[in-house]
Amino acid sequence: MAINIFVTTTFDTEASSITKVHTYVSYFLDTDKFRVYMFVKKRRIKVPPHIIPITLPKIRISLSPLKSVGNCLTTIGAILKIPARILHIIAEPYLVPLVIACKKYAWEKKVILTFHGVPWDSRPHFVAGRILSKQADIVTSVSKYTAQLVRSTYGVESQVIYNGVDTEFFHPSKNYNEKPRVLFIGRLVSWKRPHWIAKSAKEFPQVNFIIHGRPPRHGSSLAPLLFKLARRLPNLVISTKFLTREEFRSLYQTSDIFCFPSTDWMPLVVLEAMACGLPVLLHAVGGQAEVITNGKEGFTFRTYDEMKKYLQYLLEDENIRREMGKRARIRSLDFSWKLVAKKYEKLYEEVVSEAVS
């Protein structure tokens, strides 16, 4: 009998990186052993046969507090009726009442919580993480760095399962740039440090730099500053438009170096760049630094001056760039979604077997 799992993310073409992780894991699970229930915005959507799409319920907020609570309880009740042995969740505020209700009225369901970071910039998500980490049967983190933050912040131990990459879709392609091209992909916020890339464009006028990212939905954005700098730097391109998967792949494949000065948890873009055969320059603090060996697939740094030094080293020798790029591709194969899904399969089976015993 297949193990039924309810994954609390939404399949969406414009989904966040977190949602993409859970979608890809679900897609690559053994179709004979697992059945996945997943929210979708539209029921008519092409998914593998082991994934059962559920139209995303609308939680109607009424001016009447009693009606609002009633609507939320109705939605929670509908979710609890889904015949899933496991709820695989992320730290979202709306999931708090669902998990509490699950623990009280559906005790046979097991809860797995995956942390993709500690959301200090959102009080509701921060509090949700604290509550859900205590309620979950098992907690996982997407990197050792994330696990350390979860431990120090919430006092909870977590199992590390890294994010993955579709190594069949993201692959190297022969390309030749007359001028080397350096790529950054990430949100245009200060802690991602895209302004370091803009500063490099000023110091390396013989090199083309591309910064692609979306401004944050809330809070301060670096987009105005970056566009202002780009008007004065002909070798700097800023892009904020929505890209398809194919366009993202083309962006990697037509670049020579991927530079990511962000202190991040475990970004998909780093693995995608490596899968496309790019040497990577990564900030030494964060989960992204855990996937490479410094000096083999790229370099790690802590300061702008260190980043500049390694960037200059790579720009001066095309052969070194290509050799590191080949190693990066080989290393990315260790993080294919198929291998990541196997680790989640083992986790799901262990959770169910413990519940039976």
Side-chain angles (χ1 to χ4, degrees):
M1 180 180 291
I3 298 174
N4 290 354
I5 305 163
F6 174 49
V7 179
T8 54
T9 54
T10 306
F11 181 86
D12 184 2
T13 54
E14 297 187 37
S16 67
S17 295
I18 294 175
T19 298
K20 289 177 182 176
V21 169
H22 292 258
T23 301
Y24 284 128
V25 168
S26 300
Y27 267 50
F28 284 100
L29 292 175
D30 189 320
T31 57
D32 294 326
K33 293 182 178 180
F34 299 92
R35 185 178 294 110
V36 181
Y37 293 83
M38 183 184 297
F39 281 145
V40 295
K41 289 187 176 180
K42 296 179 180 179
R43 184 170 290 277
R44 292 183 180 179
I45 189 170
K46 291 183 179 180
V47 293
H50 71 291
I51 293 181
I52 301 173
I54 305 171
T55 304
L56 186 64
K58 293 181 179 179
I59 301 178
R60 296 179 176 84
I61 304 300
S62 170
L63 294 177
S64 166
L66 288 177
K67 285 187 178 181
S68 296
V69 172
N71 290 332
C72 290
L73 290 177
T74 300
T75 302
I76 291 172
I79 295 174
L80 289 178
K81 289 180 181 178
I82 296 172
R85 299 284 300 279
I86 298 171
L87 302 184
H88 191 171
I89 66 172
I90 55 179
E92 287 283 354
Y94 80 91
L95 292 174
V96 172
L98 169 64
V99 171
I100 292 176
C102 173
K103 287 296 181 180
K104 189 169 184 178
Y105 301 109
W107 55 267
E108 75 282 358
K109 296 182 187 292
K110 296 299 179 180
V111 177
I112 297 176
L113 169 65
T114 294
F115 275 106
H116 293 264
V118 176
W120 288 300
D121 57 345
S122 171
R123 180 66 179 172
H125 286 81
F126 183 87
V127 173
R130 182 178 298 281
I131 296 172
L132 293 172
S133 64
K134 306 299 182 183
Q135 294 286 327
D137 296 284
I138 291 181
V139 179
T140 69
S141 292
V142 295
S143 65
K144 294 177 183 177
Y145 176 71
T146 305
Q148 180 183 348
L149 292 178
V150 169
R151 185 186 308 113
S152 61
T153 305
Y154 297 129
V156 174
E157 295 294 331
S158 58
Q159 178 179 336
V160 175
I161 301 180
Y162 287 100
N163 288 338
V165 60
D166 187 344
T167 53
E168 294 181 7
F169 180 82
F170 292 101
H171 58 81
S173 177
K174 292 182 180 179
N175 105 90
Y176 173 76
N177 294 316
E178 187 174 340
K179 295 173 65 174
R181 180 178 294 177
V182 178
L183 175 65
F184 166 91
I185 297 177
R187 272 186 296 153
L188 305 183
V189 293
S190 59
W191 62 274
K192 294 271 188 179
R193 301 182 182 88
H195 52 291
W196 283 19
I197 309 300
K199 185 177 180 180
S200 297
K202 185 177 181 180
E203 300 199 39
F204 295 93
Q206 76 282 12
V207 178
N208 287 326
F209 290 81
I210 297 177
I211 295 175
H212 175 81
R214 306 296 290 273
R217 293 180 180 178
H218 309 286
S220 179
S221 170
L222 287 182
L225 171 63
L226 294 171
F227 277 112
K228 182 179 179 180
L229 292 173
R231 284 194 290 269
R232 300 199 299 259
L233 297 170
N235 63 327
L236 175 62
V237 173
I238 312 295
S239 171
T240 59
K241 67 177 183 178
F242 171 77
L243 297 181
T244 64
R245 286 185 81 212
E246 290 74 16
E247 288 172 328
F248 268 117
R249 180 176 61 185
S250 178
L251 202 54
Y252 294 123
Q253 291 176 338
T254 55
S255 298
D256 299 283
I257 299 169
F258 187 76
C259 191
F260 194 72
S262 173
T263 48
D264 226 298
W265 298 295
M266 190 54 253
L268 298 181
V269 292
V270 170
L271 293 173
E272 290 169 356
M274 292 171 63
C276 288
L278 295 185
V280 291
L281 294 178
L282 309 174
H283 200 288
V285 178
Q288 71 282 338
E290 297 171 23
V291 302
I292 72 166
T293 300
N294 189 30
K296 187 175 181 181
E297 301 89 2
F299 296 99
T300 60
F301 55 84
R302 289 179 179 271
T303 66
Y304 173 79
D305 287 339
E306 280 186 311
M307 186 190 86
K308 177 184 174 183
K309 178 185 70 174
Y310 290 130
L311 180 58
Q312 184 168 5
Y313 176 73
L314 288 176
L315 290 171
E316 287 177 348
D317 196 322
E318 182 181 348
N319 291 328
I320 291 177
R321 292 201 303 269
R322 292 187 180 278
E323 183 59 34
M324 284 192 164
K326 290 178 182 178
R327 294 175 193 159
R329 168 64 186 180
I330 294 171
R331 176 58 173 154
S332 74
L333 299 177
D334 295 332
F335 298 92
S336 72
W337 282 122
K338 291 180 181 179
L339 295 179
V340 174
K342 291 293 182 186
K343 294 180 181 180
Y344 277 106
E345 285 179 5
K346 182 179 179 182
L347 181 64
Y348 294 150
E349 290 173 338
E350 289 176 353
V351 170
V352 172
S353 64
E354 288 177 3
V356 172
S357 61

